[in-house]
Amino acid sequence: MTDILPPKRKGQVVVLCAPSGTGKSTLVKKLREEFPQIGFSISCTTRDPREGEIDGIDYSFLSVEEFNDKLEVGEFAEWAEVHGNFYGTPKKPIEKMLFKGMDILFDIDFQGCMQLMETMPEAVFVFLMPPSYAELKSRLEGRDTDSKPVINRRLRNAMKEMASAPKFEYWIVNNDLDKAYSELKSIYLAGKNRPCSNPGLLESILSTWE
Ligand code: ADP
Ligand code: 5GP
């Protein structure tokens, strides 16, 4: 065993995308419970809070005017209109977390993912799929948080979202929750061993050569 300390690991960004109702929030919650040190990007949205959602924890809930003001001054790393509401990722908290070397998890839609694929090519992009349309419908209805028209709109959009799946590096089918979770966890842990997460490591080991 050698006592040479490796250089500090760089925080990795994991971006999770899925049609609404697939189980993204459920999996994000499990990953954050097991790894509380993972930073989570709290998005801004113009949609109304659901029962139990807390401003500043689940989302920053904004009016359309407030959202547009932030958009105009370039406060978002990405943004999109999703199911008739605006959503955006604030840049500053992400920059701060990355500066501290923290890993960050993003829960955003496919349009936002396409933007981040351009601006954050080192991020890990994961697409989560429902096992079938019938199961997705049953999960959206069973969640009991959205009205029938909202559910129908989300189901219509799901097809378009599924069409973006080939652009992602990893796919996870959320059929059995425990299996899907262990796959997400494996992807997260494997990301820590990518060369881009370990700048200077190779050089530091090579420097031990005579
Ligand atoms: P999303 O964040 O993708 O919109 P949620 O995490 O809110 O989806 O999950 C939608 C509903 O499906 C919730 O009621 C959740 O408990 C349920 N759910 C999530 N994963 C599974 C699974 N593997 N099997 C059955 N139900 C699931
Ligand atoms: P919900 O309203 O169900 O919380 O989220 C609806 C969709 O908006 C989900 O696909 C979610 O991933 C996406 N979303 C949440 N925050 C953001 C964001 O900051 N940017 C983008 N582009 N999509 C987001």
Side-chain angles (χ1 to χ4, degrees):
M1 188 92 139
T2 169
D3 56 1
I4 286 201
L5 281 178
K8 200 164 167 253
R9 217 176 52 76
K10 198 171 154 205
Q12 66 164 326
V13 175
V14 178
V15 185
L16 193 57
C17 180
S20 178
T22 303
K24 209 171 11 160
S25 315
T26 308
L27 286 165
V28 164
K29 189 165 170 270
K30 276 172 88 69
L31 195 71
R32 294 184 68 205
E33 273 164 11
E34 184 165 355
F35 301 95
Q37 72 278 16
I38 300 179
F40 183 66
S41 165
I42 300 170
S43 298
C44 295
T45 181
T46 60
R47 87 150 158 73
D48 292 333
R50 294 185 183 128
E51 206 181 307
E53 282 183 330
I54 301 169
D55 188 32
I57 296 211
D58 298 289
Y59 281 105
S60 294
F61 294 99
L62 305 178
S63 67
V64 174
E65 292 71 31
E66 287 168 329
F67 190 95
N68 281 334
D69 287 347
K70 287 187 183 290
L71 186 59
E72 266 173 31
V73 294
E75 277 192 31
F76 295 127
E78 64 70 39
W79 70 279
E81 185 177 349
V82 190
H83 314 310
N85 295 299
F86 295 111
Y87 294 80
T89 303
K91 261 186 208 160
K92 277 215 183 90
I94 300 167
E95 287 167 355
K96 274 193 196 150
M97 288 190 272
L98 285 179
F99 183 74
K100 287 190 205 156
M102 285 171 74
D103 295 329
I104 315 181
L105 194 57
F106 285 71
D107 165 352
I108 61 174
D109 93 307
F110 78 98
Q111 304 168 83
C113 289
M114 302 296 126
Q115 295 169 45
L116 292 187
M117 281 178 193
E118 297 295 323
T119 55
M120 289 188 171
E122 286 183 349
V124 179
F125 291 90
V126 183
F127 194 88
L128 184 69
M129 304 185 199
S132 66
Y133 174 83
E135 179 62 24
L136 182 64
K137 186 166 183 281
S138 133
R139 286 186 196 170
L140 277 169
E141 288 168 353
R143 187 168 69 180
D144 206 21
T145 51
D146 301 297
S147 64
K148 193 115 192 104
V150 168
I151 290 179
N152 286 338
R153 181 173 198 162
R154 286 175 182 237
L155 283 170
R156 274 196 308 275
N157 289 343
M159 180 78 134
K160 207 164 52 191
E161 290 162 342
M162 291 292 286
S164 73
K167 299 215 163 69
F168 287 72
E169 275 175 280
Y170 293 100
W171 290 352
I172 298 176
V173 178
N174 182 19
N175 193 11
D176 176 84
L177 184 63
D178 289 339
K179 182 168 180 285
Y181 177 65
S182 96
E183 290 171 1
L184 177 62
K185 182 176 156 180
S186 307
I187 292 168
Y188 166 63
L189 291 176
K192 289 177 179 288
N193 287 61
R194 296 197 312 165
C196 62
S197 295
N198 295 281
L201 177 61
L202 179 63
E203 292 76 5
S204 120
I205 294 176
L206 285 177
S207 73
T208 64
W209 259 245
E210 303 264 294

